[in-house]
Every structure is written in C-alpha cells, then in structure tokens.
Amino acid sequence: MNELIGRVFNFEKTVFPSSSELYGTLTRDGQSPKALMISCADSRIVPEEIMQARPGDLFVCRNAGNIVPPYASMLGGVSATVEYAVAALGVRDIIVCGHTDCGAMKALAYPEGLEAMPNVAAWLKHGSAAQTVVDSCQGHLEGDDRIRAMIYENVIAQLSNLRTHPSVARAMASGEMSLHGWVVDIHQGQVLGLDGQTGQFTTLRENTPLPVAVPAQARYQMAEAAE
Amino acid sequence: MNELIGRVFNFEKTVFPSSSELYGTLTRDGQSPKALMISCADSRIVPEEIMQARPGDLFVCRNAGNIVPPYASMLGGVSATVEYAVAALGVRDIIVCGHTDCGAMKALAYPEGLEAMPNVAAWLKHGSAAQTVVDSCQGHLEGDDRIRAMIYENVIAQLSNLRTHPSVARAMASGEMSLHGWVVDIHQGQVLGLDGQTGQFTTLRENTPLPVAVPAQARYQMAEAAE
Amino acid sequence: MNELIGRVFNFEKTVFPSSSELYGTLTRDGQSPKALMISCADSRIVPEEIMQARPGDLFVCRNAGNIVPPYASMLGGVSATVEYAVAALGVRDIIVCGHTDCGAMKALAYPEGLEAMPNVAAWLKHGSAAQTVVDSCQGHLEGDDRIRAMIYENVIAQLSNLRTHPSVARAMASGEMSLHGWVVDIHQGQVLGLDGQTGQFTTLRENTPLPVAVPAQARYQMAEAAE
Amino acid sequence: MNELIGRVFNFEKTVFPSSSELYGTLTRDGQSPKALMISCADSRIVPEEIMQARPGDLFVCRNAGNIVPPYASMLGGVSATVEYAVAALGVRDIIVCGHTDCGAMKALAYPEGLEAMPNVAAWLKHGSAAQTVVDSCQGHLEGDDRIRAMIYENVIAQLSNLRTHPSVARAMASGEMSLHGWVVDIHQGQVLGLDGQTGQFTTLRENTPLPVAVPAQARYQMAEAAE
Amino acid sequence: MNELIGRVFNFEKTVFPSSSELYGTLTRDGQSPKALMISCADSRIVPEEIMQARPGDLFVCRNAGNIVPPYASMLGGVSATVEYAVAALGVRDIIVCGHTDCGAMKALAYPEGLEAMPNVAAWLKHGSAAQTVVDSCQGHLEGDDRIRAMIYENVIAQLSNLRTHPSVARAMASGEMSLHGWVVDIHQGQVLGLDGQTGQFTTLRENTPLPVAVPAQARYQMAEAAE
Amino acid sequence: MNELIGRVFNFEKTVFPSSSELYGTLTRDGQSPKALMISCADSRIVPEEIMQARPGDLFVCRNAGNIVPPYASMLGGVSATVEYAVAALGVRDIIVCGHTDCGAMKALAYPEGLEAMPNVAAWLKHGSAAQTVVDSCQGHLEGDDRIRAMIYENVIAQLSNLRTHPSVARAMASGEMSLHGWVVDIHQGQVLGLDGQTGQFTTLRENTPLPVAVPAQARYQMAEAAE
Ligand SMILES: [Zn+2]
Ligand SMILES: [Zn+2]
Ligand SMILES: [Zn+2]
Ligand SMILES: [Zn+2]
Ligand SMILES: [Zn+2]
Ligand SMILES: [Zn+2]
C-alpha cells in the first residue's frame, strides 16, 4: 500500500481526538471561514501552512495554476466555489495565490511540452492574458525570469477574471470585498503581495502596510450622483 | 485587517525557517507527490491534516462538492489537474474525498436554495447521477439520512466520471492506478472508504484491509487474448 | 434518380402490407424495445440483421464510431437517446457495438487523414481514452493489429462514458441494468463480447456463457450497510 | 438472458453464412453507400426495411427525433456522421426521415413530460424552429394533428440545419447533392416526401415524380457572373 | 485626447438640437425599425450612410465579418439581436451585408495571419461553409478574385445560418419575412444583391427588380395539404 | 418593397459620388479607425452620428445591450471584433456605450418578458453582474430609476469583462489603452461618461476634463521592481 495512504488510519486515532473540541464546534455551528484562497494544486504549497490556518479558517479552491475562469462559463468548478464562498458563506477577502517554480506557469511560459496534455493546455487558455502581456511587455526575459514574470502576470489576469463574477462585483460595489494577489516564493520563504495602485508586487512584512490588489471601496451611491 | 490575512507575516518569520530543509529539497528536486486528493473546498476539511501530509506529499484539487466532471469538457480545471497529476507527475493513487455536513451535498439533496446560486447549481449537475440514484433507490430517506446517502453516492458518481479521463484510463489499463473513494465523517472523527467489490463504505482501520474503490489490475494483454 | 431512393416506393406496395399486423400492434400499443444498441453508422453493419430483430425489437442509436459522450455535454443526441431509452422506455440492456474495418477507428489509429474532417476529428476526441491506452499499452502494434486494438479499446472507453449517465447509473445501482460491449467481425462473421471480469473479448457462442461487460448487480442497500 | 440478446448467436450460424459473398465483397472493397439516412432511434422504424436495403447500401445516423444540429457545435455526432458520409464516402443523397407516433415529436408538441428527461429536453432545443412555426402558424391544432404538424415541421427545420454544414454546402454549390425530407406513416403504411417548391408533403408513389426537398442545382459559376 | 473622442462634445451642442423633434418622437413612441442589417464592424461601412437611414430606421448588428452563427449556440450576441429584432420589434426584412476589401474575408481566404488572433480564427469557423465552397468550386481563383468569391459565399453561408433561427423560421413560414444578401463594393461605389433563384449577385439599380435572397412566401397551409 | 430597402439605390447615385475621394483614400490605404465603439443595436443610437464620424473613423461592434462577454468563450463575435480592432488595427480607445430607454436593459431590470426570447435571456446572462449589483445596492429603486441604474451598472460590468481579453490586457499593461464607459441620454440629448476614480457618471462637457473609465497607465516595469 502507498505509504501516504496508510497514514489516514491516524486520523481517527490521533488527529481528530487532539482537535475534537474544534471539530465539535465546527460541526455544531457550521463553518464561517474568514477568507477564500484560490491556489495551485502543487503539493508544496499548503494554504493552511502558509496561513497557519486551523480547520474552519480558510475556504480553499485549488487547481493547476490557480486559475479563475471569467464568469461566462456556467458549469465551472471555480465559479461555483467562488459563488458559494461569497454568496452562501459571506466571505469578504479573496486571495489569488501563485507560487514560484509553478509547473503550470512554466508551461504557460514555454508551451512546447503541452502537446501531450490537451486538458492542461485548454485550461491554461484562461492565462492567455498573462502570456500576451509577458510576450509583449517583457519579451526580452528568458528562463526563470520569464517564468517569474508569468507567475506575477497570471495572478493579475486571474484577479481581472475574478472581478467579472456577479457575487464578487456585488460585494465590491457595496464596499465589502477586498481582493488580494499573492505569490509564495518557496525559494526565499517569502510571500509577495500585489499593490493595485502601483501594479507592483512587494514582500509582505509586518512593519509595512499590507499591499492590496483591490481594496474595499463602496460605489453604491453612484446612480444618485449621476442624476 | 482581516485577522487571518495578518497571519501570513509569520510564514517568512517562523513557518518557512522551521521547514527550510524540506523546502530546499522540494525546490531543488521538484515535487513528486504520492497521491492526488480531490476534495471539497470546505474550510473544515484540510486534506493535509487528514493525511498528516507534509509539503510535497499530496497534490490537491479542491472545489465545492469534490466534483470531477467527465472528460468531455475540455476547458475544465479538474480535468487539467487530473491530467497534470497523472501524466506529468506520475501520480498512481487518486482519492475522491467527500465529507459529512457538506453544503454542496445538502444542496444536491435539497435544491430549493440553489436559485440564488446559478453557478453552484450548474456545477452540481455533475452530481446528477448521485441525485438520480438516491431519488430512485433511497427515496424513503429524509433529512440527514438523505444527505448522507447523497454524500456516498456522489463519491461513487465522481469515481465513474474520473474513469473517463484518458490519463486515468491508460494507467488503469496498465495496472498502475488505484482509485479510492473516501468520506470524512467530521462528527465521528472517522474516514470511511468505498469497497468497489461490495459497493459498501466501511470505516478505515489499521487492522482491516484498506477498502479500495478500483484496485490496480492490468488489462493490457487483452487484445492478444481476444484473437 | 438514385436507384436506392427509388426502392422506397415498395414500402407501401409490399413491405408494409406483408407486416401490417405487426405494425398494427406496434402503433396501437406503442413500442417496448428489448434493448438499446449503440452502433456505427457504417452501411455494412445493420443492427437488425445482426440481431434478427423485427420492427419494435431494438431501439437504435447510430453514429460514426459508435461513440457515447459522457454525461456532461447536455445538448448531445446520444445522451438524449440513452435517456429516452432508459427513462421513458425502460430499456435494461444496452449494447455498445463496434465492428472490424471501422473507418472511424482507422482514423483514431492513424489520425493523419482527419485534417480535412474537423467534425469527425472533434467527435473522435470522445475516443481519446482508447487512443491513449493503445498508444501506451499496445504501442508496438501496427496496421490492422493497431486498428483492431483501437476497436476493442473504444468499446471499453464508451462503456466507461455510458456509466456516467444518470439514467444508466440509477438502473445499475438498483441492479436492473446489464451493459454489453460487442465487436462485429465482418471478416470472420462472428460477434465478440467483452467479459468485464477478465477484460477480454471472446466470441459469442451458444454453448458458452454470454460474456457481459457490466452484469446487473444491485447496490442500493449500500447506505444502510455503511452506518 | 434477454431473449433478443440471445439471438445474436445466430449471426455466426446462419445470417453471415447466407450473405457471405456480399460481406466478402464489402470487406474487400470497403463500403460505398448510396445515401445517408438520418432517422429516429424508434424501434419501429428500421431504415433498411423501409428502403429494402442490403448491408452496404445505406449509411445510417439514428437518434431520438431524427435531429441534425446546425454546424456550430463542433463536437456533435450527427455533424461528424454527416461529414464522414459526404466528405469521406462521397454520399450525394441525404434523407432526413421522421415518422408518425414519434415520442420525441410528442414531447416537442407537449413538453410537460420533459422535466424528468433533461437531456432529451436539451436535445429537442434543436427542434425549436419547428415548435415556433407550429405554435405561430398552426396554433389551432391539437392532439394528433398538432403532433403531425410538429413531425412535418421538424423535418423542414432539420433540413435547414443540414444546409449549414460545410460539406453539404459544398456539394450543394457544385450541384451534386439532393436533400430529401420524408415522413414514414406507420399507421397508413406510406412514406411522404417534402416538395421544396411548394412546401408540401405528398405520398411517394411510383407513378408520380419524386418530390425533393432541395434538388441538385449547380451554383458554382456564380462569382464570375457577378463581375 | 484622441481627437475623435473629443467630437462627442458636439452631440449635446449641435447634433441633438438639430434632430430634437425626431429624438422626441423616438423616445416617446419607442423604436419601430424597418429592417435589421447585419454588417461588418469595418469603419468604412456605415450602414446608415449606405441606406441614408435616420435614427430609428435601422436595427443594426455589427461584428467582424458580418457573421450569423446558426441557432445552436444559445449565448451568442447575434442570435440575441436577431431574436430581439424579429420577435420583439417585428422586423420583417433582414439584410446580411458584406463588403469588398473585408479584412475578415481576407483572413478566411488566406488564414495564415490568424495564428496571432485566436478569437478571430474561432469566430470565422462560422464561415467554414464559404471556405469549403470556394476551395472546392473556385479553387483556381487567387488573390483579389479569391477574396471576392469568399465575400459572396460568406453572405450566402450566413443566410443559411440565419434560416436556422426559430424567429426567422417562423416569420418565413408565415410568409412575412424577406431575407437579403448584399455586398457593398466600396471601390466601385455599388451595392450588389443576391438573387436566390439564380444564385447570382447583381448590381442593385432602381430600374431593375430588386434581387432578393429569400422572398417572402407563405407555407403555413402545408400540414392541411399533406393530409 | 420596404421603403427603407429602396433607398439603397441612392448609394450608387448620390452617396458614394459625393464622398468618392474619401472612399478612394480608404480603399487605397485601408482603414485605420481611431476608436472601437461597442454599442447597442438600437435603431435610435447611431454611433457615427453621436461622434460625427465619417467612414473610416470608427470601428463599430453592435449588439442588443452593448454586451462584451468575458474572454473565455472562444467563439464569440464581440471577442473577435475586439481582438481584430486591437491586435490587427491598433485601436487604443475603446468605448462601451449604453443608452437610455434600452430595451435590453429593461429586460435585465424586469426579466418577466424574456420567456418568449430565450436567446436574449441567455445573452443577458453576461449582464448578471449589473443585475446583482442593482438588486443588492439599489434594491429600493423602481421603474425608470431601476432601469437607469441597470444601464449604468451594465456599462461598468462590460468594462470588467473587456479587461479579461488578452489584447486589451496587453495594451493596458503597456500604458497604451484607454477604456471609456458612456451612456447616451436620448431624452436629454447628453452623453455621460464614467469616471473610474469615483465610480460616477458625469455629463461630458467641453469645459470639464473628459472622465475616463480606465486611463492609460503603463505597468510593464512591474516584474523588475518586484525583485
Ligand atoms: Zn503551481
Ligand atoms: Zn463540502
Ligand atoms: Zn464504423
Ligand atoms: Zn421518433
Ligand atoms: Zn469586413
Ligand atoms: Zn439598447
């Protein structure tokens, strides 16, 4: 038997008993997670480890490349997960979280290897905006530099896609929603955040203000003012 | 600032330094996860906690309802994630993992509340087979019993969908792939597994054989034998 | 005028009168076909001839390559035909029937000629699992052997797709449905059937048990047993 | 065992031997069918019986409601079958063949029962044009009269859809293709054909000219003439 | 500031005041346009200039290549615009209007440049029928001649697509709808019209009958006649 | 003959001759439009009249509701038109232009009437974000006030969708692209513009700065700064 699979036996024996009070509360009261994190399926990026999150803290959507298709595609799992988080659970912070050494972003930067993976290729079409921006504005970059640029631009592109979702648009219009664009650098052990004002990614540090991609800002007085 | 968001500052300060050797190996050698887990976005179900997995152990796809659309839909994130796990990373154990008290499964069992969430409703169409089976074969169940039946049947339905993916079909034909169907019971603190032979879910316990939904079994001699 | 077209005049003159009693019963009582056959559009494979079926016996879906897309694609004709057969007419045996010398399977084995036929190419994507299995597990085969392997594997792949349809899943769960995977060998004048236990195709002969791809087996006690 | 399934044993014993010469020719030379018939999956409508066709005569596409989606949907089985028939096999007569007492057309005329069959409902969207015409131009009809009108209009609508397929458009432009719209009346034992000039269906009889929906008529001199 | 953008200030100052009576009527009574024109987005082809149309005269759908997808694709803008024009506004003349020197048609004739424009390439798939006809029936043409043939055939293909829309089919069946296929020649300063009877495009001139692609012709007596 | 259709004869006689020099230049040099306008198909809103544009000035995409689907849907006409304008023609100002008394926006505000127009209903799904914002943030508005709010919010939603298109994202990243959100008030004879900073629509007047939805702002130094 796969050795990892075998570890599941410990859940009943040790993991659950040691957190039984927390699980008890969470099953009695239901979940009320504090944020939605959309991150990569990569085994090295464990959202709960990065956030020191306990069960119940973080609603998590994970897929190859931390992609968020725009709203049009009615059957998608990311769209459903975003809608459930925002409309049913009232989540008001969404983090799109990329990471260095991302296999999906390598494929977006150097698509040659994608012929044998048509589903991955199709899925990465949702990263075309990143690809186009890097090709056009950073065309001189190569190798790791090109991949790193793709990782950043992909987070930016997915944030644009995220804004097309009605539940997100609604919470933004009413000034309740903050959008975050992060990149976990697993080489340096740092997390970088996008500052929407400057378009720059900067390292998240306690002594500097948290950069936010799209800060909460109410807009719902609009129609009146326009008259 | 959202208190959870603030915890990210600790990643650089304490989390990464305490695992720097592991991250060093994982960035130098790349990932080689031991399994793919497809589980729910629910904040209470942390795959790495259930498996006691460390960074690098588990490739993880998470969405509302631990759904796996069948192969036809070329643009989907789950399809891409499965393909990447199996074809690029060589994963040979896939776990479809449901859980008790699942909001998506409640919605599948009692769809009245879905009108305000059209994306979730559309996504849960991929669970129609579970819905049809429960309605027809377990129509007498109500409330928690009906939801629990839906949770089980949904895992079975998603395993059927998973088998339509070419990368999975290939690894099954060559006898390399095992498929697992689990349900985490966060009330009892247990994990149940589907036994594909009997169609029953039983509690996973160290002293009993691990129930497997579809055990590895080679079929590639087939064409010769048929002549 | 096309000579075949001209033969239609005989329907009123000779064909109908000679079966008027049967047609009378069938229009008075409606149809209650005994099986659904999904077979190729190939002119040489006449399902009713293979089965010695009379009008009213066999519900028939035919398309290039005897393909069954999985459930996801809501607008498809095969999905609709399966649903109508199982849900409206109560059919409980489904045969996916391939054949030797199949043009669609030749194209799946050697796709070079497909550039001029984009619709056929797109449709055969539903046979990708067969293609991937043959490439990977039978990559040494060439010519007719490769095509024959593709024909077998395509039947297996379409059976996997068929199982994702809710109406089929429901009838399987309640132990009412048998799935059959056949290949008509128009060179040898034989029909081969898939044995789901062994994964082998064997010639159907009266004096040996009928091999069945997925025999009827009830599963509906499941949820109770799991508690 | 299902009694019909059991009849398959006779294929090897009696059916094939009695036509072994024909099958021998057809496997040696390949198929060259004389027409493509798109007809309903209904068990009572056996295309080869209506046409007195032998193996090799008729390329056959069958689905619930003898539907032909228009060209846009790239993954469809009917589109692929049409393309294969016209582009690969050179078929130059296509028959869209409806029939009286058609369950799909009853559902189009009276859609109440479709709620339990979402795939059939979706598939019948391709018959919306028929539905709209009958509602608007024949709104006074009820019961069998309404259903009969739907059967006729559906054949007309599917012929419109068929004309959007590039392979058909090409063969029409070059004057090689004839399109036929038929309805088999299994109560009267007659076949009716659409006369494209008058828009009327009339009974096919040997002593009257065959009504043709869209007769072959070359148009390829067009561009020159326009200059 | 873009000089064209700056001209918008004149709308309030001069344009609106000089037509205030017309705008007053149009806002009070709503619009009742006399035709729907589907034309290219090309800046040189101003539908209202070609028709000397005033505000309120012409419902206008414009896109690259004056394309009309067939009915199947439920989410499309052209389908919605056609439906709104015919079903909500009662428009009874539809003009599909191509033009010489059309960039989209050049791309259809010589697709090499489309690799950098995947959306345009995908959209032009709806012109495949034109492409197939020109390749097959006019394969000897080159350069401007090939492009001109493509322009003509594209108008013909889009008219075929237009006929699949239920609202159009209904108005055609009841004899209320005329379809027009035009090409604006911006070199010669002429408009050519398709004569559906002959398949020829001829220059529109006051002293000759207006060629019409599909003239209004009632068909709604059909079902009665067929009995 | 429809009186409007008859006016086309004047194009050759008077319209073209009076602008023959302009058309001559435009056919000799090709088009180089100064902006792309995406506006409604409404007959009362003539983009060239609002802008006092001459042939060659304005690339125009028109559909019911001035909708821009997000990038995901690869086959769409608006996507193709945007891509052609930006990538092939180098357009650097895009105007999404709504208008008062818009039938599509009325339907979005009061969807009851949409049942008879399934295509329009499906198309307006791309305005769901506007609908959700108005329902949630302006739920107290009724009648004309609700419709007016929908018109504004729809322009804002379509601008969000527009930003997901790779060609637009690229031109925005390099600081070349300005996005404009306008509403033509055909009652007051004014044009209002969205100020992206404040989220307000204000009347465009020569003596005040032009409000811009998304001003040109380069972002391509980003990756460097982040290191
Ligand atoms: Zn990654
Ligand atoms: Zn869940
Ligand atoms: Zn075949
Ligand atoms: Zn039928
Ligand atoms: Zn053009
Ligand atoms: Zn409008």
Side-chain angles (χ1 to χ4, degrees), chain E residues 123-141:
Chain E
W123 180 239
L124 293 179
K125 289 254 167 73
H126 294 298
S128 291
Q131 216 173 19
T132 307
V133 170
V134 172
D135 280 351
S136 171
C137 303
Q138 316 243 39
H140 60 286
L141 297 181

PDB file of all heavy atoms in Angstrom, chain E residues 123-141:
ATOM      1  N   TRP E 123     -14.043  32.622 -34.471  1.00  0.00           N
ATOM      2  CA  TRP E 123     -15.270  33.253 -34.974  1.00  0.00           C
ATOM      3  C   TRP E 123     -15.483  32.933 -36.446  1.00  0.00           C
ATOM      4  O   TRP E 123     -16.596  32.660 -36.895  1.00  0.00           O
ATOM      5  CB  TRP E 123     -15.166  34.755 -34.747  1.00  0.00           C
ATOM      6  CG  TRP E 123     -16.321  35.605 -35.202  1.00  0.00           C
ATOM      7  CD1 TRP E 123     -16.268  36.632 -36.113  1.00  0.00           C
ATOM      8  CD2 TRP E 123     -17.687  35.541 -34.760  1.00  0.00           C
ATOM      9  NE1 TRP E 123     -17.502  37.211 -36.248  1.00  0.00           N
ATOM     10  CE2 TRP E 123     -18.399  36.557 -35.431  1.00  0.00           C
ATOM     11  CE3 TRP E 123     -18.367  34.725 -33.862  1.00  0.00           C
ATOM     12  CZ2 TRP E 123     -19.753  36.783 -35.246  1.00  0.00           C
ATOM     13  CZ3 TRP E 123     -19.729  34.939 -33.670  1.00  0.00           C
ATOM     14  CH2 TRP E 123     -20.410  35.959 -34.355  1.00  0.00           C
ATOM     15  N   LEU E 124     -14.406  32.946 -37.199  1.00  0.00           N
ATOM     16  CA  LEU E 124     -14.514  32.707 -38.643  1.00  0.00           C
ATOM     17  C   LEU E 124     -14.829  31.247 -38.959  1.00  0.00           C
ATOM     18  O   LEU E 124     -15.134  30.920 -40.116  1.00  0.00           O
ATOM     19  CB  LEU E 124     -13.248  33.171 -39.366  1.00  0.00           C
ATOM     20  CG  LEU E 124     -13.032  34.695 -39.348  1.00  0.00           C
ATOM     21  CD1 LEU E 124     -11.740  35.057 -40.077  1.00  0.00           C
ATOM     22  CD2 LEU E 124     -14.208  35.427 -39.996  1.00  0.00           C
ATOM     23  N   LYS E 125     -14.792  30.367 -37.974  1.00  0.00           N
ATOM     24  CA  LYS E 125     -15.259  28.987 -38.199  1.00  0.00           C
ATOM     25  C   LYS E 125     -16.707  29.002 -38.708  1.00  0.00           C
ATOM     26  O   LYS E 125     -17.116  28.101 -39.441  1.00  0.00           O
ATOM     27  CB  LYS E 125     -15.195  28.177 -36.893  1.00  0.00           C
ATOM     28  CG  LYS E 125     -13.798  27.852 -36.439  1.00  0.00           C
ATOM     29  CD  LYS E 125     -13.465  26.376 -36.670  1.00  0.00           C
ATOM     30  CE  LYS E 125     -11.987  26.125 -36.517  1.00  0.00           C
ATOM     31  NZ  LYS E 125     -11.579  26.198 -35.093  1.00  0.00           N
ATOM     32  N   HIS E 126     -17.463  30.019 -38.305  1.00  0.00           N
ATOM     33  CA  HIS E 126     -18.834  30.122 -38.796  1.00  0.00           C
ATOM     34  C   HIS E 126     -18.885  30.458 -40.283  1.00  0.00           C
ATOM     35  O   HIS E 126     -19.957  30.507 -40.869  1.00  0.00           O
ATOM     36  CB  HIS E 126     -19.609  31.176 -37.999  1.00  0.00           C
ATOM     37  CG  HIS E 126     -19.824  30.796 -36.566  1.00  0.00           C
ATOM     38  ND1 HIS E 126     -20.543  29.693 -36.201  1.00  0.00           N
ATOM     39  CD2 HIS E 126     -19.399  31.351 -35.413  1.00  0.00           C
ATOM     40  CE1 HIS E 126     -20.573  29.594 -34.882  1.00  0.00           C
ATOM     41  NE2 HIS E 126     -19.879  30.589 -34.368  1.00  0.00           N
ATOM     42  N   GLY E 127     -17.735  30.725 -40.868  1.00  0.00           N
ATOM     43  CA  GLY E 127     -17.646  30.932 -42.312  1.00  0.00           C
ATOM     44  C   GLY E 127     -17.038  29.739 -43.032  1.00  0.00           C
ATOM     45  O   GLY E 127     -16.713  29.838 -44.224  1.00  0.00           O
ATOM     46  N   SER E 128     -16.917  28.607 -42.343  1.00  0.00           N
ATOM     47  CA  SER E 128     -16.288  27.426 -42.952  1.00  0.00           C
ATOM     48  C   SER E 128     -16.992  26.967 -44.220  1.00  0.00           C
ATOM     49  O   SER E 128     -16.352  26.487 -45.157  1.00  0.00           O
ATOM     50  CB  SER E 128     -16.282  26.247 -41.976  1.00  0.00           C
ATOM     51  OG  SER E 128     -15.414  26.488 -40.915  1.00  0.00           O
ATOM     52  N   ALA E 129     -18.330  27.105 -44.237  1.00  0.00           N
ATOM     53  CA  ALA E 129     -19.049  26.664 -45.425  1.00  0.00           C
ATOM     54  C   ALA E 129     -18.590  27.469 -46.640  1.00  0.00           C
ATOM     55  O   ALA E 129     -18.377  26.918 -47.725  1.00  0.00           O
ATOM     56  CB  ALA E 129     -20.553  26.797 -45.216  1.00  0.00           C
ATOM     57  N   ALA E 130     -18.406  28.788 -46.458  1.00  0.00           N
ATOM     58  CA  ALA E 130     -17.927  29.623 -47.564  1.00  0.00           C
ATOM     59  C   ALA E 130     -16.539  29.152 -48.005  1.00  0.00           C
ATOM     60  O   ALA E 130     -16.245  29.004 -49.198  1.00  0.00           O
ATOM     61  CB  ALA E 130     -17.882  31.088 -47.132  1.00  0.00           C
ATOM     62  N   GLN E 131     -15.698  28.918 -47.030  1.00  0.00           N
ATOM     63  CA  GLN E 131     -14.339  28.487 -47.314  1.00  0.00           C
ATOM     64  C   GLN E 131     -14.327  27.179 -48.099  1.00  0.00           C
ATOM     65  O   GLN E 131     -13.589  27.025 -49.082  1.00  0.00           O
ATOM     66  CB  GLN E 131     -13.647  28.280 -45.962  1.00  0.00           C
ATOM     67  CG  GLN E 131     -12.211  28.655 -45.903  1.00  0.00           C
ATOM     68  CD  GLN E 131     -11.715  28.557 -44.466  1.00  0.00           C
ATOM     69  OE1 GLN E 131     -12.321  27.894 -43.614  1.00  0.00           O
ATOM     70  NE2 GLN E 131     -10.610  29.220 -44.184  1.00  0.00           N
ATOM     71  N   THR E 132     -15.155  26.243 -47.682  1.00  0.00           N
ATOM     72  CA  THR E 132     -15.194  24.937 -48.333  1.00  0.00           C
ATOM     73  C   THR E 132     -15.714  25.063 -49.760  1.00  0.00           C
ATOM     74  O   THR E 132     -15.196  24.428 -50.687  1.00  0.00           O
ATOM     75  CB  THR E 132     -16.089  23.982 -47.511  1.00  0.00           C
ATOM     76  OG1 THR E 132     -15.643  23.985 -46.158  1.00  0.00           O
ATOM     77  CG2 THR E 132     -16.029  22.575 -48.055  1.00  0.00           C
ATOM     78  N   VAL E 133     -16.745  25.889 -49.961  1.00  0.00           N
ATOM     79  CA  VAL E 133     -17.288  26.075 -51.311  1.00  0.00           C
ATOM     80  C   VAL E 133     -16.254  26.713 -52.228  1.00  0.00           C
ATOM     81  O   VAL E 133     -16.031  26.248 -53.353  1.00  0.00           O
ATOM     82  CB  VAL E 133     -18.578  26.928 -51.263  1.00  0.00           C
ATOM     83  CG1 VAL E 133     -19.003  27.331 -52.667  1.00  0.00           C
ATOM     84  CG2 VAL E 133     -19.693  26.172 -50.556  1.00  0.00           C
ATOM     85  N   VAL E 134     -15.604  27.774 -51.739  1.00  0.00           N
ATOM     86  CA  VAL E 134     -14.625  28.447 -52.602  1.00  0.00           C
ATOM     87  C   VAL E 134     -13.462  27.502 -52.914  1.00  0.00           C
ATOM     88  O   VAL E 134     -13.035  27.388 -54.072  1.00  0.00           O
ATOM     89  CB  VAL E 134     -14.124  29.754 -51.953  1.00  0.00           C
ATOM     90  CG1 VAL E 134     -12.966  30.355 -52.746  1.00  0.00           C
ATOM     91  CG2 VAL E 134     -15.267  30.756 -51.839  1.00  0.00           C
ATOM     92  N   ASP E 135     -12.970  26.814 -51.895  1.00  0.00           N
ATOM     93  CA  ASP E 135     -11.864  25.882 -52.149  1.00  0.00           C
ATOM     94  C   ASP E 135     -12.233  24.849 -53.196  1.00  0.00           C
ATOM     95  O   ASP E 135     -11.424  24.486 -54.047  1.00  0.00           O
ATOM     96  CB  ASP E 135     -11.483  25.147 -50.847  1.00  0.00           C
ATOM     97  CG  ASP E 135     -10.613  26.001 -49.955  1.00  0.00           C
ATOM     98  OD1 ASP E 135     -10.167  27.079 -50.410  1.00  0.00           O
ATOM     99  OD2 ASP E 135     -10.380  25.613 -48.806  1.00  0.00           O
ATOM    100  N   SER E 136     -13.460  24.372 -53.114  1.00  0.00           N
ATOM    101  CA  SER E 136     -13.835  23.244 -53.953  1.00  0.00           C
ATOM    102  C   SER E 136     -14.324  23.687 -55.326  1.00  0.00           C
ATOM    103  O   SER E 136     -13.977  23.087 -56.335  1.00  0.00           O
ATOM    104  CB  SER E 136     -14.920  22.439 -53.234  1.00  0.00           C
ATOM    105  OG  SER E 136     -15.455  21.471 -54.072  1.00  0.00           O
ATOM    106  N   CYS E 137     -15.131  24.732 -55.388  1.00  0.00           N
ATOM    107  CA  CYS E 137     -15.760  25.114 -56.653  1.00  0.00           C
ATOM    108  C   CYS E 137     -15.023  26.248 -57.363  1.00  0.00           C
ATOM    109  O   CYS E 137     -15.267  26.504 -58.532  1.00  0.00           O
ATOM    110  CB  CYS E 137     -17.209  25.535 -56.426  1.00  0.00           C
ATOM    111  SG  CYS E 137     -18.225  24.294 -55.628  1.00  0.00           S
ATOM    112  N   GLN E 138     -14.205  26.974 -56.619  1.00  0.00           N
ATOM    113  CA  GLN E 138     -13.494  28.106 -57.225  1.00  0.00           C
ATOM    114  C   GLN E 138     -12.016  28.039 -56.876  1.00  0.00           C
ATOM    115  O   GLN E 138     -11.367  29.086 -56.700  1.00  0.00           O
ATOM    116  CB  GLN E 138     -14.077  29.433 -56.702  1.00  0.00           C
ATOM    117  CG  GLN E 138     -15.585  29.462 -56.667  1.00  0.00           C
ATOM    118  CD  GLN E 138     -16.134  30.524 -57.586  1.00  0.00           C
ATOM    119  OE1 GLN E 138     -15.615  30.734 -58.703  1.00  0.00           O
ATOM    120  NE2 GLN E 138     -17.148  31.197 -57.122  1.00  0.00           N
ATOM    121  N   GLY E 139     -11.517  26.838 -56.781  1.00  0.00           N
ATOM    122  CA  GLY E 139     -10.157  26.643 -56.298  1.00  0.00           C
ATOM    123  C   GLY E 139      -9.093  27.290 -57.169  1.00  0.00           C
ATOM    124  O   GLY E 139      -7.974  27.526 -56.718  1.00  0.00           O
ATOM    125  N   HIS E 140      -9.448  27.612 -58.422  1.00  0.00           N
ATOM    126  CA  HIS E 140      -8.472  28.202 -59.341  1.00  0.00           C
ATOM    127  C   HIS E 140      -8.286  29.704 -59.099  1.00  0.00           C
ATOM    128  O   HIS E 140      -7.352  30.299 -59.614  1.00  0.00           O
ATOM    129  CB  HIS E 140      -8.950  27.976 -60.779  1.00  0.00           C
ATOM    130  CG  HIS E 140     -10.281  28.612 -61.030  1.00  0.00           C
ATOM    131  ND1 HIS E 140     -11.471  28.091 -60.536  1.00  0.00           N
ATOM    132  CD2 HIS E 140     -10.625  29.731 -61.712  1.00  0.00           C
ATOM    133  CE1 HIS E 140     -12.486  28.858 -60.903  1.00  0.00           C
ATOM    134  NE2 HIS E 140     -12.001  29.859 -61.611  1.00  0.00           N
ATOM    135  N   LEU E 141      -9.159  30.319 -58.346  1.00  0.00           N
ATOM    136  CA  LEU E 141      -9.057  31.769 -58.144  1.00  0.00           C
ATOM    137  C   LEU E 141      -7.932  32.102 -57.167  1.00  0.00           C
ATOM    138  O   LEU E 141      -7.681  31.374 -56.218  1.00  0.00           O
ATOM    139  CB  LEU E 141     -10.380  32.330 -57.621  1.00  0.00           C
ATOM    140  CG  LEU E 141     -11.589  32.196 -58.550  1.00  0.00           C
ATOM    141  CD1 LEU E 141     -12.818  32.821 -57.906  1.00  0.00           C
ATOM    142  CD2 LEU E 141     -11.306  32.842 -59.908  1.00  0.00           C
TER     143      LEU E 141
END
